[in-house]
Amino acid sequence: MLAALLYGKEDLRLEEVAEPTPDKGEVILQVEVSTTCGTDLKVWRRGGHAKMLKPPTLFGHEATGRIVAVGEDVTNWQVGDRVVANNSAPCMKCFFCDRQEYSLCPNLTWNNGTFAQYLKIPAPIVQYNMLPIPDDLPSELAAMTEPLACVLHGVARSNIKSDARVVVLGDGAIGLMFVAKLALDTQVEVLLFGGNDQRLAIGKKLGAAETFNYHQLPDISDFVKDLTEGMGADVAIEATGIPSVWETAIACTRPGGTVNLFGGCPRDTSITVSTEQLHYSELTLKGVFHNTPVFVREALSLIASRKIPFELLISDRRPLADLEQVFCDMRERKVIKVAIVP
């Protein structure tokens, strides 16, 4: 089959590799659609990921497909089923899983390789994190289950109360998903900051109360305080994975507020935090990572409800042969998410 393999920094190659076969508990999908993700872009640019993969490796982690083969002991699925599979599953046996802190499981089973014609789904994911897709739900929407599950996890951990003013920093797919989910609560005021006017316009359509291009602002934190009677945001959500923006998120937040440091930064980076501000302003700083089986199910349900026009995040549909150009377009911020049809 034809598949994309990551060899290093911006070194992505399409190669003919052997089609996968299922072992015990596994299934094989014929990929219908694989969507690109900001995490994929970061991994492509950085040449790897500390937890999910090390090159050379099959690449991509958001996809829908139809089952074309099932392994021994697979009883709840059959050939022809249309499914979406999360890119991981917890072990359900460790210290963290016993406490339902599934995203912290040290034994997470990871799966990559969605930019290909066929995809093997490991047994733990088949058991805990593979779901049937409603017949009327387009594949490119269902493929966004994994990133939305991460966002739902992030929202749940952000201490957001009624009448909250929430600042979202970042107008990529994740930032826009945060806006869309938060805007479902009409009592929450969402302020979106980004650097691309077209993306900010989409943020407005998804429910942002106000959008701001940071290129036109001398200082984001001062601007947020001006908007909030000198207080700062109740909650700030960082969705870029840039250390300096982590610091901006902290500076934007009012005393007693919560900072969700959601975007994953490059390895071995650090930030500076004022101990005076953290202590005397009683700030809550949270790192929130990945998703859990509960949020995977909630994400697919929310997408299927069609309450949110997630199709606004799909900039284009392209064949697998165009994948490298797609990542170049993502790097230049010409597209948000692209549906790759292998």
Side-chain angles (χ1 to χ4, degrees):
M1 68 172 182
L2 188 64
L5 281 81
L6 182 70
Y7 279 84
K9 292 182 179 180
E10 299 190 8
D11 186 359
L12 188 64
R13 309 176 195 178
L14 293 182
E15 298 181 356
E16 291 288 339
V17 300
E19 291 183 11
T21 57
D23 293 326
K24 185 176 180 180
E26 298 179 337
V27 304
I28 306 299
L29 305 185
Q30 183 175 24
V31 177
E32 290 185 334
V33 168
S34 178
T35 45
T36 61
C37 175
T39 297
D40 294 330
L41 177 64
K42 289 192 294 186
V43 171
W44 175 69
R45 297 187 73 174
R46 298 172 186 174
H49 188 284
K51 287 185 176 290
M52 288 197 304
L53 54 82
K54 291 180 174 59
T57 181
L58 293 167
F59 191 45
H61 69 279
E62 300 177 9
T64 59
R66 289 191 182 273
I67 296 176
V68 293
V70 297
E72 182 184 353
D73 291 347
V74 175
T75 57
N76 296 326
W77 304 97
Q78 59 186 5
V79 171
D81 287 346
R82 185 165 167 257
V83 301
V84 60
N86 197 48
N87 69 326
S88 74
C91 72
M92 297 297 182
K93 300 174 183 178
C94 69
F95 172 92
F96 296 100
C97 288
D98 284 346
R99 289 155 180 78
Q100 298 183 0
E101 298 174 343
Y102 299 114
S103 61
L104 300 178
C105 172
N107 308 311
L108 282 171
T109 296
W110 293 102
N111 196 37
N112 289 278
T114 60
F115 297 129
Q117 293 172 310
Y118 296 93
L119 175 67
K120 178 190 286 192
I121 308 299
I125 298 178
V126 172
Q127 183 175 3
Y128 299 120
N129 263 343
M130 190 170 77
L131 305 175
I133 301 173
D135 291 339
D136 61 347
L137 185 62
S139 296
E140 59 266 31
L141 297 185
M144 289 190 274
T145 297
E146 187 274 338
L148 182 59
C150 297
V151 166
L152 297 185
H153 183 204
V155 170
R157 297 290 302 278
S158 295
N159 298 332
I160 297 171
K161 301 175 182 178
S162 295
D163 299 323
R165 288 183 286 198
V166 181
V167 163
V168 176
L169 300 175
D171 56 9
I174 291 294
L176 293 171
M177 284 184 172
F178 267 110
V179 169
K181 169 58 179 172
L182 293 169
L184 286 179
D185 184 344
T186 56
Q187 293 183 307
V188 173
E189 181 182 11
V190 186
L191 308 175
L192 174 64
F193 290 78
N196 182 294
D197 287 337
Q198 290 179 320
R199 295 177 183 224
L200 292 172
I202 292 173
K204 194 74 172 176
K205 291 179 181 178
L206 291 173
E210 298 288 346
T211 63
F212 306 96
N213 191 319
Y214 71 85
H215 293 297
Q216 300 169 3
L217 303 174
D219 187 279
I220 293 175
S221 60
D222 287 345
F223 185 78
V224 169
K225 288 177 182 177
D226 288 342
L227 287 174
T228 56
E229 302 79 44
M231 295 287 290
D234 299 297
V235 178
I237 298 173
E238 196 289 333
T240 71
I242 300 171
S244 62
V245 185
W246 279 35
E247 294 179 352
T248 297
I250 296 169
C252 284
T253 307
R254 68 164 175 83
T258 297
V259 185
N260 182 339
L261 302 170
F262 191 86
C265 295
R267 183 185 296 189
D268 298 327
T269 53
S270 61
I271 64 170
T272 299
V273 179
S274 165
T275 56
E276 180 179 3
Q277 181 191 15
L278 182 61
H279 179 75
Y280 290 104
S281 294
E282 296 189 12
L283 292 182
T284 298
L285 306 187
K286 288 192 172 185
V288 183
F289 169 66
H290 201 42
N291 59 46
T292 74
V294 167
F295 292 121
V296 172
R297 284 151 181 79
E298 288 186 9
L300 181 58
S301 177
L302 178 55
I303 293 170
S305 75
R306 307 305 289 271
K307 292 179 181 178
I308 297 172
F310 284 114
E311 58 272 13
L312 292 174
L313 303 183
I314 302 293
S315 303
D316 201 359
R317 290 172 63 93
R318 302 281 285 273
L320 185 58
D322 291 351
L323 185 61
E324 185 172 21
Q325 182 59 52
V326 166
F327 277 105
C328 291
D329 291 343
M330 291 178 69
R331 181 185 59 197
E332 302 302 320
R333 310 206 80 212
K334 295 178 180 178
V335 296
I336 302 174
K337 295 180 80 72
V338 175
I340 301 296
V341 185

